[in-house]
Amino acid sequence: MRRVVTGHDGSGRSIVVSDGPVPRSREFASLPGWVSRLPWATEPGEKATRAGEDPTPDITSLLPAPGGTRFIVLTFPPESAFADPAFDPAAFDREQRADSPGIAELIEPDGMHATPTVDYGIVLQGEIVLELDDGHCTSLSAGDIVIQNGTRHAWRNRSDRPATMAFVLIGAEQGD
């Protein structure tokens, strides 16, 4: 995946300051096909950078504070990968916690989770199912979008091919 970052030169003219792979990208050893990428992030009250400095190395939590953002791209392998006898849930949990601090701690054993964020999700490739609290499932395919309003949910790839989604998480105050 290629990431192009713009900024401004000393004269205030728009320029490309970075063009290359997403530097904060991880292919999980414990679950082949699971890929996590953090292309960009902002902190609450942060002004748009004029020089295009990369904030991703300094991000210690993928869960943004209210007013902060995280741009995350995930590739989900088929759900059958979890049933593979070689799959080690404890190793996967360790990788999740190392890769996705702040969010990984909220994920329940069955994959359900809720975050204090408004998430904009876009299916880039493949098919995936959004499961909600009551077991209600909504099938999504490439081009579909989801607005996730802090609700408890899980993502299920019931197909036989990888599914890739892009998410923009916006930190929000918890509602009633």
Side-chain angles (χ1 to χ4, degrees):
M1 186 167 282
R2 178 181 174 196
R3 181 189 75 167
V4 176
V5 179
T6 64
H8 297 88
D9 66 13
S11 304
R13 200 172 62 101
S14 300
I15 60 168
V16 170
V17 295
S18 171
D19 184 346
V22 175
R24 192 158 167 178
S25 183
R26 178 188 203 124
E27 294 185 34
F28 281 42
S30 62
L31 185 60
W34 185 280
V35 183
S36 174
R37 304 165 193 90
L38 178 66
W40 205 253
T42 63
E43 297 301 341
E46 185 176 293
K47 295 180 180 178
T49 179
R50 305 258 327 147
E53 296 89 0
D54 187 351
T56 62
D58 298 326
I59 296 301
T60 58
S61 176
L62 287 194
L63 189 62
T69 67
R70 301 294 185 265
F71 179 25
I72 300 168
V73 180
L74 291 176
T75 299
F76 302 84
E79 201 168 56
S80 60
F82 292 98
D84 186 315
F87 174 66
D88 180 348
F92 180 66
D93 183 62
R94 284 191 300 275
E95 274 194 283
Q96 278 280 54
R97 288 173 185 270
D99 180 75
S100 305
I103 293 177
E105 298 82 0
L106 302 175
I107 299 175
E108 300 165 33
D110 65 354
M112 295 294 284
H113 61 285
T115 56
T117 58
V118 173
D119 305 344
Y120 303 146
I122 305 165
V123 182
L124 300 176
Q125 171 189 337
E127 299 173 350
I128 198 152
V129 173
L130 169 63
E131 180 180 340
L132 298 178
D133 248 351
D134 61 1
H136 178 80
C137 292
T138 302
S139 296
L140 304 163
S141 58
D144 290 343
I145 63 172
V146 175
I147 311 304
Q148 186 71 12
N149 287 300
T151 53
R152 188 169 170 269
H153 67 285
W155 298 103
R156 312 282 187 211
N157 181 354
R158 296 183 174 145
S159 76
D160 61 355
R161 307 187 80 151
T164 300
M165 290 192 69
F167 299 94
V168 175
L169 283 64
I170 303 166
E173 297 290 336
Q174 287 283 74
D176 293 333

